[in-house]
Amino acid sequence: MEYMLSEALPIHSGGLGNVAGDQLKAASDLGVPVVGVGLLYQQGYFRQEIDAHGDQLALYPVNEPNQVPIRPVRNVDGSWLRLPVTLPGIKIWIRTWEVQVGRTKLYLMDTNDPANLAHDRAITSELYGGGSELRLKQELLLGGGGWMLLEALGIKPEVCHLNEGHAAFAVLERAHSYMKENGVPFQHALAVTRAGNVFTTHTAVDAGFDRFSPQLICQYLTLLAERLGITLNELLALGRANPDDHSEPFNMAYLAIRGSGSVNAVSRLHATVSRRLFQPLFPRFPEADVPIRHVTNGIHVPTWDSAGADALWTEMCGKGVWRGDLCDIEEKFRAVDDRRLWTMRNLGRTALVEYARDRFLRHEAGHGASPLQLDEARSVLDPDVLTLGLARRFATYKRPTLLLYDRERFARILTNSQRPVQLILAGKAHPQDLPGQALIREWVDFARRPDVRSHVVFLSDYDMLVAQHMLAGVDVWVNTPKRPWEACGTSGMKVLVNGGLNLSVLDGWWAEAYSPNVGWAIGNGDEFPDDAAADRADAEALYTLLENEVAPEFYDRDDNGIPAAWVARIRESMALLTPAFSANRTVRQYTEEHYLPAAAAYTACAQSLGRAGTLVLAWRQDIARRWKNVRFGQLEVVRHDNQLMFEVEVSLAGIDPSAVRVELYAAARNGDAPVCQQMLRKAFRPGTALAYTYSTTTPATRPATDFTPRIVPHHPKALPLEIDRILWQK
Ligand SMILES: *Cc1c(COP(=O)(O)O)cnc(C)c1O
């Protein structure tokens, strides 16, 4: 839906686009053969202006196609490649563009074609604007149109990576292509092609999934269902937890899961959260068994390092270090001496202070400030003072105002005469998010207080350029989400390469990156049932850290004027975390753990006209038909010599025993890991209802009541995601 590649191509809003853009760049660096597909928005995401009252104004400058780094996609005869797509009742033209991203290409589509009606030309005018009908049209273009574009270009990917559910219609279009080519029905085509689709989920809140009303889906997808040869209800079922609930909205993330071979979350903690969010698709699964893994995001280091940091890394580790395998850079970088590091930090902070003053001055001048006020603006901040940075999307759940929980205490921290602190802020709130905008006003009001005025600056229009300056210069990056609602977060990773330190709630990436010698953790990872308690505890922890640890360590100087403990912390954070949270690591992990296995699985499935796909499909259909009659009979447990022997009768209702697995399961409890062991078929009594007996023994280290037999469908060629039912003995 968005790509953040450069300020020069504003088709992004925030974190999601950042991840897509940085991974595309890293794929180019590593030579992973990838193309990106996205939309070209005539106005991109809104630009922010803060007026004299502290209110946010939304502005929409136009992306002039001849002033952004794109060019039309040409057919061999030199004509512009335009694609006809059909939305209900009308054919519209998609225009196509390409962007060169290093060695990779990004293809973009828009509908601003003079042949389209005015309201169709506007489909791609804005990112995250309008209502759900417009969003549905955009997603039909992105997923459906995107796949058609690849076909028109003769690009036949083995793997299709859905970066968030917005693009999930691609799985239907891909299945449709396969149907056409191989003359098979939709279910078969989906069974084969899903093996080659990879889905990354990016939200930690259920409300973050795109959902469309059944009416809208009927209005827009009737034609597609016809093309796929399925009923509208069958299509709707792909986006529902309960296919029989005709009022349930259509969830794009559910479609993505049903159309993919693997699913991953974007941090370890987010995987835990996602297993809970997607549990409705895996009824009766223990949460830990819901097949969602994680690839923690990373950032494209060369995009976010400052010139000073780049020079230092090059000196320590050699040129082009971020394109290599990153193996020995931790060790090489550790050799950097204190003075060199501290000089780099001082230069970075000074450059940021100058940038912030300049930007703030221009802002004030543009709002009719008096000469006296302009003088004041010219001298805000101090290049020698401990500098905190905080920039977020201003949404209430991200708690961007936690530092203001106790204003007086925070003002005292800022204005401490021995150990002063200053803060540079930025962030936008969605134009429809009024509570978010109120949070911006709180900060702007606070920054105007005479006592803190020279210590706090809010920079308007947070974007890539502002971010680059902030992340290169701050000493400490502050992040205060409410755990566990930050899926990953990437801005904190961007300070690593520049020697900034993180002070953050143990959420998203920081929950796996934090250790006491690389930064600071707000709280200890506890989650609170009520918001007020969480805010109180986290604010207290945050202030205490600033007062007792962060500021004292920064100002504790040795004979050379260097804060030795601080510099040691920077060295550790840079050496240890920069490579681990780089997009280089992320893209390698995607390639090894997802792309290559998906390519292999798809190829295997598609072989000999999808014979494997046919078998898997037949297995699935057989299970679906007979599952409701599968049942357990008697369970017998015998204790013998510190062993527990379990024996259970089973009726498989005509399912071949090779098509299921009977397992003995015990959930994790009191520090004991979960147990899952296969039970073996022991007896077969043809002609009887409970024809099979399965048994197994296990060490009697836990009470027998902890264990429950269960039946799980099994097929050697099935994807983990295709196994979505479990029958428990009790
Ligand atoms: C990195 C970045 C983001 C995303 O940061 P999070 O920490 O994930 O919220 C958003 N906007 C800009 C401009 C960025 O550079």
Side-chain angles (χ1 to χ4, degrees), residues 81-320:
L81 175 64
R82 292 152 80 228
L83 292 173
V85 298
T86 311
L87 289 181
I90 186 156
K91 184 168 86 177
I92 61 172
W93 288 97
I94 302 181
R95 305 192 301 182
T96 62
W97 308 86
E98 63 181 47
V99 184
Q100 194 67 42
V101 184
R103 294 188 275 180
T104 61
K105 279 215 163 77
L106 167 63
Y107 292 100
L108 298 174
M109 300 168 285
D110 79 1
T111 59
N112 193 18
D113 191 304
N116 293 336
L117 292 177
H119 84 287
D120 292 330
R121 292 183 68 165
I123 292 174
T124 51
S125 62
E126 222 187 293
L127 170 61
Y128 304 142
S132 80
E133 183 164 355
L134 182 64
R135 180 69 71 86
L136 177 59
K137 290 189 206 175
Q138 290 185 339
E139 294 187 4
L140 282 166
L141 290 186
L142 178 64
W147 191 267
M148 290 180 201
L149 170 59
L150 294 177
E151 283 203 312
L153 291 166
I155 298 175
K156 293 193 159 184
E158 288 155 311
V159 179
C160 172
H161 184 177
L162 309 171
N163 195 45
E164 186 53 302
H166 303 127
F169 289 126
V171 307
L172 300 180
E173 202 55 46
R174 182 176 187 177
H176 182 254
S177 300
Y178 190 89
M179 291 168 65
K180 266 190 322 197
E181 254 168 53
N182 298 289
V184 296
F186 170 72
Q187 292 300 350
H188 178 146
L190 186 67
V192 173
T193 52
R194 74 180 286 188
N197 296 330
V198 174
F199 170 45
T200 300
T201 176
H202 285 265
T203 178
V205 280
D206 188 59
F209 298 130
D210 265 333
R211 289 186 173 83
F212 298 108
S213 73
Q215 292 76 10
L216 263 185
I217 296 290
C218 292
Q219 191 184 335
Y220 281 91
L221 275 79
T222 303
L223 277 177
L224 178 60
E226 269 170 30
R227 276 204 297 142
L228 297 173
I230 57 177
T231 65
L232 203 51
N233 263 336
E234 285 170 319
L235 197 154
L236 276 160
L238 292 167
R240 284 176 168 155
N242 175 5
D244 300 324
D245 177 357
H246 293 291
S247 64
E248 187 181 328
F250 187 87
N251 182 324
M252 291 296 284
Y254 289 179
L255 172 64
I257 288 200
R258 298 233 171 78
S260 295
S262 76
V263 181
N264 72 281
V266 290
S267 70
R268 190 170 61 206
L269 180 60
H270 182 229
T272 312
V273 174
S274 298
R275 286 191 280 267
R276 188 167 72 230
L277 290 179
F278 287 115
Q279 189 159 36
L281 296 195
F282 302 90
R284 312 218 53 206
F285 269 52
E287 222 166 85
D289 284 7
V290 173
I292 297 180
R293 296 180 291 162
H294 70 276
V295 176
T296 304
N297 288 334
I299 54 108
H300 184 248
V301 180
T303 297
W304 299 103
D305 62 356
S306 66
D310 179 51
L312 181 57
W313 282 93
T314 303
E315 194 180 308
M316 300 309 298
C317 307
K319 192 97 194 115

Side-chain angles (χ1 to χ4, degrees), residues 386-565:
L386 169 58
T387 304
L388 314 181
L390 188 156
R392 317 281 317 139
R393 184 152 65 80
F394 273 65
T396 46
Y397 76 85
K398 297 202 177 217
R399 294 199 305 190
T401 51
L402 191 73
L403 272 168
L404 294 178
Y405 187 84
D406 177 347
R407 274 158 221 242
E408 299 316 313
R409 186 165 173 193
F410 185 49
R412 283 196 299 279
I413 292 173
L414 292 170
T415 56
N416 183 303
S417 60
Q418 301 304 307
R419 302 191 298 249
V421 175
Q422 60 194 8
L423 171 65
I424 300 176
L425 293 145
K428 299 178 180 178
H430 191 278
Q432 284 158 17
D433 179 6
L434 298 179
Q437 290 168 37
L439 300 178
I440 293 179
R441 207 171 310 114
E442 277 185 45
W443 268 119
V444 174
D445 285 346
F446 181 77
R448 288 189 179 147
R449 273 173 54 153
D451 57 335
V452 301
R453 198 148 58 201
S454 60
H455 295 256
V456 183
V457 172
F458 190 102
L459 300 179
S460 60
D461 201 27
Y462 180 45
D463 64 7
M464 224 179 145
L465 206 59
V466 175
Q468 274 163 341
H469 283 277
M470 290 179 72
L471 295 154
V474 296
D475 296 297
V476 177
W477 192 250
V478 181
N479 190 15
T480 55
K482 197 180 125 197
R483 181 177 156 123
W485 287 12
E486 172 119 294
C488 178
T490 51
S491 53
M493 300 175 185
K494 299 171 192 163
V495 299
L496 299 170
V497 66
N498 299 312
L501 296 170
N502 280 277
L503 166 58
S504 170
V505 171
L506 287 173
D507 198 6
W509 77 285
W510 193 236
E512 64 200 79
Y514 168 75
S515 65
N517 42 2
V518 295
W520 296 274
I522 302 168
N524 51 11
D526 285 344
E527 284 158 32
F528 295 84
D530 79 285
D531 291 357
D535 292 357
R536 191 176 334 110
D538 287 344
E540 173 62 34
L542 174 55
Y543 294 135
T544 307
L545 279 171
L546 286 171
E547 290 160 350
N548 298 346
E549 295 189 37
V550 180
E553 191 171 298
F554 181 86
Y555 287 106
D556 180 16
R557 306 296 162 91
D558 67 13
D559 295 343
N560 300 315
I562 294 174

